[in-house]
Amino acid sequence: MTHYPTHTPILLSPPHLSGEEKRFVDEAFRTNWIAPLGPNVDGFEREMSEHLGVAQGARLACCATSSGTAAIHLGLILLGVKAGDVVLCSDFTFVASANPIRQLGAEPVFVDSDETSWNMSPVALRRAIETLVAQGRHPRACIAVDLYGQGCDYPALQAICDDYDIPILEDAAESLGASVHGRACGTFGRMAALSFNGNKIITTSGGGMLVSTDASLVERARHLATQAREPAAHYEHVEAGFNYRMSNVLAGIGRGQLSVLADRVARRRAIFARYEASLARRPGVRFMPEPVWSRSTHWLTAATLDPAAAGCTRDELLAALSAQRIEARPTWKPMHMQPLFAGCRMFAHDPARRPVSQRLFEQGICLPSGSAMSDEDLARVAHTIESALSPARAAVA
Ligand SMILES: *Cc1c(COP(=O)(O)O)cnc(C)c1O
């Protein structure tokens, strides 16, 4: 009798606990700090600012929030974004980068990726700014997104934005642990937003953080995130705030997770290297490039599949993986292709050609990249892909 193993599903990027989290969470329970704010929140902010700041020799201030999206929302408010403003944003990203722009009544204008980093194209950014400024619409801010664990070309983006005095908000939700020219992601621009959602490289189940070298900005974020309560016993308010702070229990999970971040990065990079070793030479397969100035975490291993050369479309590969209970996903659908943002402007890397982001989406796939994935599971995924890319050979085997 043939034995068919019943495989457990392999997920894209599930949470990976270390055991360290329990110590902090137990402490919260023991002391009854089951509230937003508390010693774990203070500790998590302090430890993150030390973690990110140490390489820069810079002092960073952090405000832990209920989500990464909340951190982006607060960041835009702090940059003075108001109804009617134009805000530049990476086109190739998750919708949470752009939603807060609309929620503030501002107009998102999307900027294409380039092929060398998959992140915001400096060429497209300059053209977008020049065009908008010529039309009298000086952009109020620029949200640059670090995709799939890789930072943007910040020296280039920053120089362009500096020419026009446009502040950058770094969306570092996917890039904690990465660096650009040796400098940590989460420290670029006027401020940065981190995410600790369940699928990110480290998690609090849900949460985020706003980071800046400008302590007064972060102080103001803290104020707005706690209902903008004035220091008075009777709850005095002069402006409308938000309930955007992180809970003390969840910050305990974050402290435990942060202590193993370096291990998590090493494992995700090793997973990428394993996929690359078995698949990079296949015709039509191209992994997300890592420029020499970038050290990516490879939070998600991402690649494109040119169907003409690979003999298999991206969707056929997704189906082959799904049949083996392996979760893979298309890359992010660009914002300019989303019904939500129909009618929004978009600046392509090369205006004479289709946007780069469109091809990266149509051919792009994210492979299982969870740091807890075993070598056996990783080999199973790689083998499934190899078979899907050579259907004839697989049928014979
Ligand atoms: C996850 C993510 C966010 C949002 O973070 P949440 O904590 O889920 O609100 C924002 N931007 C990008 C690029 C993300 O991947």
Side-chain angles (χ1 to χ4, degrees):
M1 196 181 90
T2 316
H3 174 71
Y4 294 105
T6 47
H7 291 308
T8 47
I10 300 175
L11 300 176
L12 188 71
S13 181
H16 182 188
L17 296 181
S18 67
E20 292 296 306
E21 300 83 7
K22 244 183 134 300
R23 186 160 57 89
F24 297 103
V25 172
D26 285 349
E27 179 67 10
F29 276 74
R30 200 183 57 72
T31 54
N32 205 34
W33 273 106
I34 315 299
L37 308 184
N40 276 335
V41 174
D42 297 343
F44 190 31
E45 289 174 345
R46 188 178 58 243
E47 288 152 17
M48 184 62 78
S49 70
E50 282 162 9
H51 175 84
L52 291 175
V54 84
Q56 276 75 252
R59 277 189 67 84
L60 291 165
C62 297
C63 172
T65 54
S66 51
S67 72
T69 312
I72 295 170
H73 189 187
L74 288 172
L76 291 180
I77 292 169
L78 294 170
L79 294 178
V81 173
K82 296 197 173 52
D85 284 344
V86 164
V87 176
L88 299 159
C89 183
S90 297
D91 181 53
F92 193 36
T93 185
F94 177 54
V95 72
S97 307
N99 272 339
I101 302 172
R102 270 282 180 76
Q103 283 152 357
L104 288 166
E107 176 191 340
V109 173
F110 297 110
V111 181
D112 199 6
S113 297
D114 64 27
E115 296 273 2
T116 54
S117 71
W118 290 23
N119 281 324
M120 187 182 276
S121 155
V123 179
L125 176 65
R126 184 174 286 285
R127 189 158 13 83
I129 295 174
E130 284 171 354
T131 307
L132 289 162
V133 167
Q135 293 167 352
R137 312 269 341 257
H138 197 111
R140 178 73 67 184
C142 173
I143 301 176
V145 182
D146 302 337
L147 209 66
Y148 300 135
Q150 174 151 281
C152 296
D153 183 356
Y154 283 105
L157 300 183
Q158 191 71 61
I160 296 164
C161 285
D162 283 351
D163 283 347
Y164 294 88
D165 207 16
I166 298 167
I168 291 178
L169 172 63
E170 179 190 8
D171 180 348
E174 301 180 3
S175 65
L176 179 62
S179 61
V180 169
H181 291 287
R183 177 170 156 184
C185 288
T187 70
F188 290 96
R190 184 77 50 85
M191 56 189 113
L194 307 176
S195 167
F196 311 111
N197 192 25
N199 61 348
K200 300 289 157 60
I201 196 159
I202 62 168
T203 182
T204 59
S205 77
M209 208 175 269
L210 192 72
V211 183
S212 178
T213 49
D214 185 340
S216 65
L217 274 180
V218 174
E219 215 33 66
R220 174 129 176 84
R222 236 181 231 117
H223 175 69
L224 289 174
T226 41
Q227 308 282 21
R229 207 168 68 212
E230 299 296 325
H234 59 257
Y235 293 95
E236 178 90 356
H237 300 276
V238 295
E239 63 189 323
F242 303 88
N243 183 4
Y244 269 179
R245 284 289 259 161
M246 183 180 279
S247 113
N248 193 57
V249 177
L250 301 191
I253 302 176
R255 296 180 82 180
Q257 288 270 287
L258 183 56
S259 72
V260 295
L261 174 61
D263 297 343
R264 300 297 182 256
V265 172
R267 179 64 184 153
R268 299 235 183 201
R269 285 181 62 87
I271 288 168
F272 172 81
R274 170 70 179 78
Y275 283 130
E276 203 182 29
S278 69
L279 301 167
R281 281 185 304 275
R282 298 266 166 165
V285 177
R286 260 159 72 188
F287 285 87
M288 179 177 180
E290 191 172 357
V292 287
W293 43 262
S294 164
R295 187 172 190 274
S296 172
T297 64
H298 294 289
W299 167 59
L300 294 185
T301 288
T304 54
L305 206 57
D306 176 356
C312 166
T313 67
R314 186 271 311 271
D315 289 340
E316 284 164 355
L317 179 56
L318 284 173
L321 289 164
S322 173
Q324 297 295 318
R325 304 182 73 195
I326 297 167
E327 185 193 21
R329 293 278 177 97
T331 46
W332 299 128
K333 182 173 184 177
M335 295 302 106
H336 84 273
M337 296 172 72
Q338 298 285 357
L340 174 64
F341 295 116
C344 286
R345 277 188 284 180
M346 141 79 176
F347 287 84
H349 176 69
D350 178 349
R353 300 174 65 177
R354 278 176 2 122
V356 170
S357 61
Q358 205 165 323
R359 183 188 73 77
L360 296 179
F361 164 61
E362 286 164 358
Q363 300 184 351
I365 185 168
C366 294
L367 300 177
S369 306
S371 46
M373 183 165 45
S374 68
D375 286 342
E376 292 70 36
D377 281 352
L378 185 51
R380 185 154 81 81
V381 179
H383 178 76
T384 304
I385 299 170
E386 284 167 14
S387 304
L389 295 182
S390 2
R393 235 184 43 196
V396 173

